[in-house]
Amino acid sequence: MTGPQDGDFFDRGREGREGRPAHPRIPGPRPAADDLAPSAAPRREPARDPAPKPDLNPDLNPDMSPATAEDREIPTEEPETAAEPEIPTEEPAIPTEPAIPTEKSEIPTENEIPAEKLTHKVLTSLLGAWALAACSAEETALVEEHLTECAPCAEEALRLRDAVGLLHADRSLDLDPLLRSRVLESCLGRRPARIPVPDWAAPYDAETARLDALLRDFGDAEWHAPVRLSWFEEDRPVSRRTTVAGVIGHLMTVDGLVVGSLGLDDPLGPGAPDDPTDRTELSWRTATSPPTRAVHEPWREQSHTLIRTVSFAGLGVAELSVSYGDFFALPLRDALLDRAFECWVHGADIAEAVSYPYEPPAGAHLHRMIDLAARVLPSALATRRRNGLAGPARDLVAAGAPGRSLRLEVEGAGGGTWYIALDSPAALGSPERSVGQIALDAVEFCQLVAGHVSPEEAAAGQEGDREAIRDVLFAAASMSRL
């Protein structure tokens, strides 16, 4: 059994006298830098032998004065405070974890895995993506190489590829413009209507229904979206700025010409002008506030009333004259076709204003609209000639006789061939007396008649008498109006 060392005994005695240890038993707080830099951690001092016990008797130690003896009382060591770590000049390396590759990883990616490292299970899981053509080039090569070696996977790949062929291709979410006609035709085929809509009123019925479907989901912002209406006056383009609600008000106002001819209430009241432009200007001028979405329901109800009326009236009203003021007068069957044409054109203007697609009318309806324009072209050309805007007549003939003509070839759905009499509206167009021809797409020709395309840009093909071609193209543009 060993006894306590001198130093230990001295320390315990001093601890008993002063109530605290001579040396700190718990190290001071470690700086935060110790967690990152082991070299910055405070070094523990090696244990030192305690100093020899001084002789406090001044008689035995003459060099020590009383003051010195008082000053040499047993010192007490204060706990060491943590010194601020020195900032190392060089950043120490941390070898605890392997470095993460940043530029080029040593681990191959999925596209870089060689063929021998892809298992049969992995290749089988890629068959669906391969059938949908969704694999990368490397995956496609690996799968196709595997298919040449594995018969079960090859059969599964063929089945998946056939299934992909049954999926519908991407297409527009908009309804087919002919859907309504097909549904009605199917319904009427099973149960014919007691009062059918006349065939000559079907284009107007279809176009108003399409426009109504477009407007149905419009919010307030869409109803106030700006729309620019364009047309031709004489030989120059003209435009007018309005809103979606203003366009619907314009359509309802001009439809009032047909409504009034049937004895129904004119939306502008009695004594309203017959000129379409004057009617629209009057409607906009007398409005107490800018038009809003409130115009939708009156327009819709008016179009339904118009269709019901002509359906109940039957063929007896088809030849009823509808005056367009100084422009011309049309029989009711043609007036409704004209209103269908304008409903489509302005529906496309509205759709463009709100960035929404709008398809042309059905081919059969579009053909009727083009036919109406071709029949009115000789009268429009004669009007321009009277105003000095077209060349003189070259060869006047008797009414009903074949006259000098221009061949109009309209291509695409609804197209056809027409011969336009050049010298007199009463003459007949004749292929034997054709002096030239122009070819246009069906929709492009309608855009020309609507004043949305300039005559210089309209014709895709021209041949023959240049003056006659120019006169016909500008006459077509002159049929446009507000």
Side-chain angles (χ1 to χ4, degrees), residues 284-418:
W284 288 346
R285 187 172 58 252
T286 57
T288 56
S289 61
T292 63
R293 64 185 309 159
V295 75
H296 180 204
E297 189 60 31
W299 168 81
R300 184 172 178 270
E301 182 59 32
Q302 178 178 271
S303 63
H304 287 180
T305 301
L306 190 53
I307 292 297
R308 285 196 300 267
T309 302
V310 298
S311 298
F312 278 102
L315 295 176
V317 297
E319 302 301 325
L320 188 66
S321 178
V322 178
S323 174
Y324 282 75
D326 295 336
F327 279 91
F328 44 80
L330 292 174
L332 182 61
R333 62 168 65 240
D334 288 342
L336 275 184
L337 200 54
D338 169 75
R339 303 311 307 142
F341 175 81
E342 187 167 357
C343 187
W344 162 47
V345 170
H346 288 326
D349 292 336
I350 292 173
E352 182 180 1
V354 297
S355 301
Y356 199 84
Y358 204 73
E359 298 296 328
H365 296 171
L366 189 60
H367 179 82
R368 294 186 182 186
M369 297 175 188
I370 296 173
D371 179 72
L372 173 62
R375 288 187 282 117
V376 176
L377 256 176
S379 298
L381 180 56
T383 300
R384 284 180 56 84
R385 184 175 290 119
R386 286 194 298 268
N387 295 332
L389 300 174
R394 302 281 186 85
D395 186 13
L396 292 174
V397 296
R404 199 166 60 98
S405 306
L406 181 74
R407 176 187 170 97
L408 172 63
E409 185 174 347
V410 180
E411 303 169 345
T417 301
W418 290 264

Side-chain angles (χ1 to χ4, degrees), residues 390-475:
R394 302 281 186 85
D395 186 13
L396 292 174
V397 296
R404 199 166 60 98
S405 306
L406 181 74
R407 176 187 170 97
L408 172 63
E409 185 174 347
V410 180
E411 303 169 345
T417 301
W418 290 264
Y419 288 90
I420 311 301
L422 296 174
D423 297 322
S424 172
L428 294 179
S430 171
E432 291 79 11
R433 302 204 58 186
S434 176
V435 297
Q437 67 175 8
I438 53 177
L440 300 93
D441 176 74
V443 175
E444 186 177 28
F445 176 74
C446 291
Q447 294 294 320
L448 172 66
V449 174
H452 286 35
V453 175
S454 66
E456 294 86 352
E457 301 173 352
Q462 304 179 6
E463 182 181 357
D465 192 329
R466 295 295 177 182
E467 182 183 29
I469 292 173
R470 181 187 182 279
D471 288 345
V472 169
L473 291 176
F474 275 88

Side-chain angles (χ1 to χ4, degrees), residues 6 73 118 128 189 195 198 250 266 283 334 349 442:
D6 294 340
E73 285 186 10
L118 286 182
I195 309 296
H250 161 66
D266 191 325
S283 173
D334 288 342
D349 292 336

Side-chain angles (χ1 to χ4, degrees), residues 25-336:
R25 301 302 184 187
I26 301 175
R30 188 177 60 179
D34 295 351
D35 296 335
L36 297 179
S39 61
R43 291 172 295 185
R44 184 182 299 277
E45 293 292 337
R48 293 177 296 183
D49 294 335
K53 183 177 180 181
D55 190 354
L56 302 179
N57 188 349
D59 298 331
L60 299 178
N61 190 356
D63 295 331
M64 179 179 293
S65 63
T68 306
E70 184 179 356
D71 295 338
R72 291 293 303 275
E73 285 186 10
I74 300 173
T76 59
E77 296 183 8
E78 296 294 331
E80 294 180 6
T81 57
E84 294 184 2
E86 296 180 359
I87 300 176
T89 56
E90 295 183 0
E91 185 174 354
I94 306 176
T96 56
E97 295 183 1
I100 301 175
T102 56
E103 295 183 358
K104 182 64 177 179
S105 175
E106 298 292 337
I107 303 175
T109 61
E110 183 180 351
N111 293 339
E112 297 173 348
I113 297 177
E116 61 270 19
K117 292 190 178 181
L118 286 182
T119 64
H120 179 273
K121 183 177 180 180
V122 174
L123 290 169
T124 303
S125 67
L126 291 174
L127 292 180
W130 173 84
L132 291 169
C135 287
S136 64
E138 293 80 2
E139 291 172 340
T140 301
L142 294 175
V143 170
E144 292 178 352
E145 181 180 354
H146 177 69
L147 295 181
T148 62
E149 302 171 354
C150 182
C153 286
E155 294 177 1
E156 179 67 14
L158 289 176
R159 286 194 295 269
L160 291 173
R161 181 58 61 88
D162 292 340
V164 170
L166 299 176
L167 299 176
H168 292 291
D170 293 339
R171 59 183 180 179
S172 173
L173 297 178
D174 299 318
L175 295 178
D176 185 349
L178 297 179
L179 177 62
R180 181 175 183 273
S181 299
R182 289 199 301 266
V183 172
L184 289 176
E185 183 179 358
S186 176
C187 294
L188 295 176
R190 294 173 179 267
R191 183 180 178 182
R194 289 191 305 115
I195 309 296
V197 175
D199 183 62
W200 47 269
Y204 178 79
D205 184 29
E207 292 308 310
T208 53
R210 283 211 303 153
L211 181 54
D212 179 48
L214 174 65
L215 300 173
R216 193 170 300 160
D217 295 329
F218 276 12
D220 291 337
E222 285 84 2
W223 279 100
H224 293 286
V227 181
R228 185 165 294 278
L229 305 180
S230 303
W231 69 97
F232 263 75
E233 287 183 359
E234 297 180 351
D235 289 344
R236 60 186 181 85
V238 181
S239 64
R240 178 73 177 269
R241 183 184 175 92
T242 183
T243 63
V244 171
V247 174
I248 300 302
H250 161 66
L251 288 174
M252 183 176 68
T253 298
V254 182
D255 283 353
L257 292 173
V258 182
V259 170
S261 67
L262 291 172
L264 303 175
D265 293 336
D266 191 325
L268 294 182
D274 292 337
D275 183 271
T277 302
D278 293 343
R279 291 176 64 87
T280 300
E281 295 290 354
L282 177 62
S283 173
W284 288 346
R285 187 172 58 252
T286 57
T288 56
S289 61
T292 63
R293 64 185 309 159
V295 75
H296 180 204
E297 189 60 31
W299 168 81
R300 184 172 178 270
E301 182 59 32
Q302 178 178 271
S303 63
H304 287 180
T305 301
L306 190 53
I307 292 297
R308 285 196 300 267
T309 302
V310 298
S311 298
F312 278 102
L315 295 176
V317 297
E319 302 301 325
L320 188 66
S321 178
V322 178
S323 174
Y324 282 75
D326 295 336
F327 279 91
F328 44 80
L330 292 174
L332 182 61
R333 62 168 65 240
D334 288 342
L336 275 184

